[in-house]
Amino acid sequence: MPICGATSTACPSDDADYGECCRRDGAAAAVDNERSRSRECAPVITTLVTGINGFTGVYMADRLRDAGHVVHGLVRDADQAAQNAADVLHTCDLLDRARMSQVIAGIRPDYVVHLAGIAFVAHGDLEEMYRTNVLGTRALLEASATAAAPPRAVLVASSANVYGNASEGTLSEDAPVRPANDYAISKVAVEHLAAIYAPRLPVIVARPFNYTGVGQSDAFLIPKIVGYIKRRAPVMELGNLDVARDFSDVRAVVDAYLRLIETPAAVGETFNVCSGTAVSLREVVAQACRIAGREIDVQVNPAFVRANEVKLLKGSREKLQRVIGPLAMPPLEETLRWMIES
């Protein structure tokens, strides 16, 4: 995997020799040579994924490669990413505006999928959250908008957290935005940034609801449940078991992202990315126990119960599917089985 370091010159475009600025192995060189031979009959599509070292980024890179894209990944430190996460890996702090412009100018990406940022609602350093999520996104949008060859589309990952806790039922993109925590506020700010840059840049905003899969941190709810099951723990402590949420499979989420960037009609729009089905926490636990073939004592920890918690929350994906077509979403039980048996 070639690596472009922060102290190197900018990577040249796809038509040039990466050897001037990237460490590369024989396999990568062979891939590039083959692509060069076939370029005249099949144009190379280049996509930059920020946060490629994260849970979603790994699956995004795999989906893009399956679709024939050359994947460039952006990470803060070279050792953060899996060895095969990207065809070419670039090191860049999101807040380093000069380096960001250098990376964008060097890659000349057809598409950008912006996943980098702090995604954990309870992250302890609020200043870091706002700087990374808001100012980091601004640096990326500015670099993309001012590039000599701007991308065809830039997908910015927001969050269904922007709807807040006051909304209940099935939420469309027209539902009021009522952020209830700092993470959600940072994402609302990101959406406003996208709107500011929209006249100069083809931006798409995605609002994913809860999603999960193999490799997600157990700081999140479903991996936490799966962790209890896989450890064969006798007791599981959770919050309100009767709340129902919309859970998606990460593999379907990245498929939606791919199809959005490749659909011109998506530019300038905001889309829920969701299953459209709500499942109670009690049912999630019951499904996990059935898959594992064992029971577990579930106890409600009052510390995990939120006051005035919304009982039912799910998204509408009508707009999404109207633009990209039907989205195949594995049922939650299939996703849980994948996670438990991995």
Side-chain angles (χ1 to χ4, degrees):
M1 174 180 61
I3 300 176
C4 295
T7 58
S8 69
T9 59
C11 282
S13 70
D14 190 66
D15 292 322
D17 181 6
Y18 283 115
E20 293 181 9
C21 71
C22 300
R23 179 178 61 79
R24 53 191 295 167
D25 55 28
V31 169
D32 287 346
N33 289 337
E34 179 61 29
R35 287 174 179 151
S36 296
R37 286 193 293 271
S38 62
R39 185 170 287 121
E40 291 185 0
C41 59
V44 173
I45 301 172
T46 301
T47 299
L48 172 65
V49 179
T50 71
I52 201 166
N53 55 305
F55 165 60
T56 312
V58 173
Y59 288 97
M60 189 76 249
D62 286 345
R63 182 66 188 91
L64 288 164
R65 271 193 293 269
D66 287 345
H69 293 225
V70 176
V71 180
H72 289 248
L74 191 71
V75 294
R76 187 164 56 184
D77 300 305
D79 59 359
Q80 287 182 325
Q83 182 63 30
N84 297 316
D87 296 307
V88 184
L89 193 64
H90 304 263
T91 55
C92 176
D93 190 313
L94 284 175
L95 299 173
D96 186 340
R97 292 180 293 175
R99 171 62 182 158
M100 182 70 75
S101 294
Q102 184 185 47
V103 169
I104 295 291
I107 300 170
R108 299 169 64 91
D110 294 289
Y111 303 110
V112 176
V113 179
H114 181 41
L115 304 176
I118 294 172
F120 186 49
V121 173
H123 185 74
D125 190 334
L126 295 182
E127 182 177 349
E128 181 187 27
M129 177 184 289
Y130 281 107
R131 284 174 57 82
T132 301
N133 290 0
V134 180
L135 297 182
T137 298
R138 188 190 186 282
L140 175 69
L141 294 176
E142 179 68 18
S144 299
T146 57
R152 297 185 216 171
V154 177
L155 183 141
V156 175
S158 179
S159 169
N161 269 274
V162 300
Y163 295 120
N165 293 327
S167 302
E168 186 163 357
T170 302
L171 301 176
S172 72
E173 292 81 357
D174 295 327
V177 170
R178 297 167 177 163
N181 53 57
D182 287 282
Y183 170 71
I185 292 170
S186 77
K187 287 300 187 179
V188 171
V190 162
E191 292 193 10
H192 284 297
L193 278 173
I196 289 172
Y197 277 91
R200 296 190 287 150
L201 194 65
V203 184
I204 302 163
V205 173
R207 288 178 180 164
F209 281 64
N210 300 67
Y211 64 93
T212 191
V214 173
Q216 188 176 34
S217 166
D218 61 7
F220 294 88
L221 178 61
I222 290 187
K224 180 180 180 180
I225 293 171
V226 169
Y228 276 117
I229 295 291
K230 295 181 76 168
R231 291 194 306 272
R232 304 185 69 83
V235 177
M236 180 187 304
E237 288 191 348
L238 297 171
N240 189 343
L241 297 176
D242 295 315
V243 297
R245 294 292 181 265
D246 187 319
F247 295 105
S248 295
D249 187 302
V250 65
R251 296 167 293 186
V253 171
V254 298
D255 182 52
Y257 289 176
L258 168 69
R259 292 161 65 184
L260 282 169
I261 61 173
E262 291 187 335
T263 304
V267 170
E269 298 289 339
T270 298
F271 297 91
N272 288 340
V273 180
C274 55
S275 70
T277 301
V279 180
S280 72
L281 182 53
R282 189 181 300 278
E283 177 59 22
V284 172
V285 174
Q287 288 186 18
C289 288
R290 284 198 298 270
I291 292 166
R294 58 183 299 267
E295 295 299 319
I296 189 169
D297 180 17
V298 181
Q299 298 181 359
V300 175
N301 185 332
F304 298 158
V305 177
R306 298 176 185 172
N308 302 316
E309 188 164 28
V310 176
K311 291 185 177 181
L312 173 66
L313 188 62
K314 66 177 180 177
S316 166
R317 55 178 181 167
E318 179 182 348
K319 180 180 178 180
L320 176 70
Q321 294 192 122
R322 189 167 65 243
V323 173
I324 69 170
L327 179 66
M329 180 68 67
L332 180 59
E333 186 169 1
E334 181 180 320
T335 305
L336 286 170
R337 185 177 301 279
W338 171 46
M339 296 172 71
I340 291 170
E341 294 180 352
S342 66

